[in-house]
Amino acid sequence: MSVTATYPTAALDLDTDVLVLGGGPAGTWAALSAARAGARVVLADKGFCGTSGATAPSGTGVWYVPPDAERRQAAYLSRDALGGHLADRRWSMRVLELTHASIELLAERGYPFPHDDRGAPAHGSLQGPEYMRLMRKLVKGAGVRVLDHSPALELLVDGDGAAAGARGVRRQRGDDWVVRAGAVVIATGGCAFLSRALGCNVLTGDGLLMAAELGAAFSGMEFSNAYAISPAFASVTKTLLYKWATFTEPGGEPIPGAASQGGRSVIARWLAKGPVYAQLDKAEPSLRESMREAQPNFFVPFDRVGIDPFTQRFPVTLRLEGTVRGTGGLRIVGDDCATTVPGLFAAGDAATRELICGGFTGGGSHNAAWAISSGQWAGAGAADHGRRVRAGAGTTRVAAAAGTVALREGRAAAFSPEAVIRQVQDEVFPFETNYFRSGDKLGDSLGRLDGLWASLRTADAASRDEAVRAREAAAMTAVARWMYRSALARTETRGMHRREDHPQADPAQLHHVLSGGLDEVWTTPSSPLTRPQAELAA
Amino acid sequence: MIELVSAERCTGCNICVSVCPTNVFDAAPKGVAGGLPAIARGQDCQTCFMCELYCPEDALYVAPEADQPVLVDEPTLVRAGLMGGYRAAIGWTRDTAARRRIDSTFRLIKGF
Ligand SMILES: Cc1cc2nc3c(=O)[nH]c(=O)nc-3n(C[C@H](O)[C@H](O)[C@H](O)COP(=O)(O)OP(=O)(O)OC[C@H]3O[C@@H](n4cnc5c(N)ncnc54)[C@H](O)[C@@H]3O)c2cc1C
């Protein structure tokens, strides 16, 4: 491609203080807080802000804890050991505080919270469709310009290496957009590798690739192998109600040790051999209506195929949710959720959540709280940075396109996104590589993924029609490489990262694994975490 | 995956085209009486059911099978109460609005 592509112009060309990429909870809270801080804000989503992303169709329990020191300490400690002691107490308390206040705000703005059996408002759960419909309304009400069906393809970078906006396509109009911005928030969610887990097929790690192209670093990418239970035929990876399930082998015998919580790996081992069935037979009849009321989406697949999950067995599977309900993501280096790249901020699943979950999933509560809190910090940080940059530089600032694979001229023919996607899935879906890890399997897989990346690197730019899919394929390839390189570096078992060849936690590895790089993927340990005894007491 | 845009119910408002996160539909042709959005990229459907929730006419049906298309029969779905059933369950129809406040997660999870 020519110089015009590197200094892009587009059908829609905007100039703003803050550009938010992604319109899930993290992106919408970021946009709100940036607007509240007085910044001009544009939000671009690949899909539709309000229905797109993991939360909208799924709904989330929220880490909502009233301001009571003992209860908050208990909340912090509840996942500390599961997370391999990698979480940070100060960050956990900040998140609990801001999440609590934000849920109160949602109540004020009209979220229809129910009342519990004593008549008190119940604030611990958000129904996805309701929540995200409200977030869209609040964002629009705050004057944010929302671009739907406008996937970002690449970031723009200024002369000093700082983030200066992004470029993408408007896929329903067949043209493109450029937004020049003083700061950018990456809120594009995690990477679930197109596994068809609920709401997750828009989540292919695009923002992680774009950030890495500016040199951003990651943390905790080894904690990226969250698998969620769903009926074998369906997308609904809602897992809470499996607490009341018995898991059985085809003959109907209960599988020893199989459980949704604390026995999911047993399910994985059996699924590797054959079908596994579930039935919610431990749910008292009196609880069944509450389950329907709490999670209407859970029952949609069953009602549609005519299965009564309380009285009938149904086949289940595990779908990879990667970093969506895993934990790794862009490394955060400030209280404002700044990344290692100037002008670039990260929030929600795109940012590392180790600060509050350590190496364990944040499913059920922490993830939603993290999106709400990190979103607002990133939005405020970006507003501050963006307005300062724009006041200084005016309109003369350089903004060059920073994308690589699938966007620039190459020596070989353009690659087939579908073929690359299948190749990556073959490396990351299998339990024997990703769930139960070992040095030799990870190494082999990484070798193939590195080779795949090298071939993408030499390929020509994708056609306009295929650009989005090609970038998704490239991002999935890149994410898989940061994942497995980090998984190789952590030669122990900690949090959700299980090494069959290193089954114990190693006290000498109480650190984060940082990673990054495109052609050469690197990892390095953070400095060791010190853990004052005071935070372990109580 | 999305299997049905009911010709009988659809008014061609194109809301589903806007709200589908994975851009499965092509818009109904403008100015053509009875024109419907087309399921143009069905294989991209992520079976999230969001289009159904936003369809004011309950004209859409997303089969729960996530990995491959299946055949559906509209009269059977209507008789079984499945068209619009999910929208009613979350309280997004006029008659069911009270259901917007019935989330009873608090009975299933003990807070801190
Ligand atoms: C089935 C399920 C159940 C869950 N239950 C819980 C729970 O009970 N409690 C809990 O805490 N968490 C839960 N989670 C996790 C929670 O949903 C996520 O942590 C949360 O959605 C993260 O918010 P986010 O805004 O970072 O990402 P998302 O909500 O995934 O939003 C990301 C957005 O970015 C957009 N995007 C992606 N790529 C691009 C691009 N290139 N350009 C522009 N936009 C882009 C997407 O379209 C999407 O709208 C659950 C997840 C699933 C899948």
Side-chain angles (χ1 to χ4, degrees), chain A residues 419-440:
Chain A
V420 171
I421 286 164
R422 267 193 307 278
Q423 274 172 279
V424 176
Q425 288 175 333
D426 286 346
E427 303 297 343
V428 298
F429 284 173
F431 306 137
E432 70 267 21
T433 321
N434 200 6
Y435 208 137
F436 311 108
R437 294 166 162 181
S438 64
D440 48 353

Side-chain angles (χ1 to χ4, degrees), chain A residues 21-28 44-56 58-63 132 150-153 177 187-190 197-200 202-207 210 228 235-239 295 321 324-325 347-350 353 362-369 371 472, chain B residues 21:
Chain A
L21 298 179
T28 48
D45 195 283
K46 182 193 279 187
F48 180 82
C49 172
T51 63
S52 196
T55 290
S58 305
T60 52
V62 186
W63 211 30
M132 292 314 299
S150 298
L153 291 175
W177 58 266
T188 48
L198 192 55
C200 290
V202 288
L203 310 173
T204 43
D206 308 357
M210 290 188 265
S235 59
V236 181
T237 43
K238 295 282 288 177
T239 51
Q295 304 204 339
E321 288 182 349
V324 173
R325 276 196 274 190
D349 289 358
R353 200 159 31 221
S365 52
H366 293 51
N367 296 341
E472 292 179 337

Side-chain angles (χ1 to χ4, degrees), chain A residues 160-465:
Chain A
D160 301 323
R167 181 181 81 83
V169 296
R170 297 197 289 179
R171 61 185 182 186
Q172 294 193 338
R173 293 173 191 250
D175 62 12
D176 49 3
W177 58 266
V178 161
V179 176
R180 295 157 216 276
V184 178
V185 177
I186 302 283
T188 48
C191 179
F193 298 98
L194 296 171
S195 68
R196 297 184 187 269
L198 192 55
C200 290
N201 266 29
V202 288
L203 310 173
T204 43
D206 308 357
L208 305 188
L209 174 58
M210 290 188 265
E213 287 169 335
L214 260 61
F218 302 94
S219 182
M221 291 304 287
E222 68 280 27
F223 306 122
S224 46
N225 52 346
Y227 286 88
I229 306 172
S230 76
F233 58 90
S235 59
V236 181
T237 43
K238 295 282 288 177
T239 51
L240 174 68
L241 302 189
Y242 291 102
K243 218 161 94 181
W244 289 270
T246 300
F247 295 92
T248 47
E249 43 86 83
E253 285 301 312
I255 297 173
S260 174
Q261 294 168 14
R264 205 172 287 181
S265 60
V266 178
I267 299 174
R269 290 197 197 277
W270 280 73
L271 276 171
K273 294 184 290 190
V276 172
Y277 294 79
Q279 181 182 332
L280 308 186
D281 52 356
K282 296 181 192 158
E284 296 291 327
S286 60
L287 206 57
R288 294 178 187 173
E289 196 47 37
S290 299
M291 290 176 160
R292 279 193 176 269
E293 293 170 355
Q295 304 204 339
N297 49 2
F298 179 87
F299 292 91
V300 168
F302 300 115
D303 292 346
R304 290 184 181 198
V305 298
I307 291 174
D308 177 350
F310 298 110
T311 61
Q312 288 175 287
R313 297 201 304 152
F314 54 91
V316 294
T317 191
L318 290 173
R319 291 189 191 269
L320 181 63
E321 288 182 349
T323 63
V324 173
R325 276 196 274 190
T327 267
L330 285 160
R331 182 181 178 204
I332 297 295
V333 294
D335 278 5
D336 56 358
C337 291
T339 68
T340 50
V341 173
L344 193 64
F345 298 78
D349 289 358
T352 181
R353 200 159 31 221
E354 291 162 294
L355 294 163
I356 66 164
C357 316
F360 195 62
T361 177
S365 52
H366 293 51
N367 296 341
W370 176 245
I372 290 169
S373 310
S374 62
Q376 290 177 82
W377 291 321
D384 186 47
H385 184 97
R387 293 171 69 195
R388 257 188 298 120
V389 165
R390 285 167 40 84
T395 50
T396 56
R397 194 164 165 239
V398 178
T404 58
V405 166
L407 297 175
R408 301 287 169 269
E409 196 173 281
R411 287 178 276 119
F415 62 88
S416 150
E418 298 306 326
V420 171
I421 286 164
R422 267 193 307 278
Q423 274 172 279
V424 176
Q425 288 175 333
D426 286 346
E427 303 297 343
V428 298
F429 284 173
F431 306 137
E432 70 267 21
T433 321
N434 200 6
Y435 208 137
F436 311 108
R437 294 166 162 181
S438 64
D440 48 353
K441 289 221 174 86
L442 288 169
D444 288 351
S445 189
L446 193 54
R448 291 187 292 271
L449 288 163
D450 285 345
L452 181 59
W453 177 265
S455 76
L456 303 188
R457 202 68 158 104
T458 56
D460 218 341
S463 67
R464 184 195 282 267
D465 283 351

Side-chain angles (χ1 to χ4, degrees), chain A residues 113-117 122 124-125 127 240-241 244 286-296, chain B residues 99-110:
Chain A
F113 285 106
H115 286 85
D116 68 17
D117 294 327
S125 164
Q127 294 292 329
L240 174 68
L241 302 189
W244 289 270
S286 60
L287 206 57
R288 294 178 187 173
E289 196 47 37
S290 299
M291 290 176 160
R292 279 193 176 269
E293 293 170 355
Q295 304 204 339
Chain B
R99 295 188 70 86
R100 290 176 63 210
R101 289 180 186 276
I102 57 159
D103 181 350
S104 42
T105 302
F106 58 84
R107 295 207 187 96
L108 308 176
I109 305 178
K110 237 182 3 60

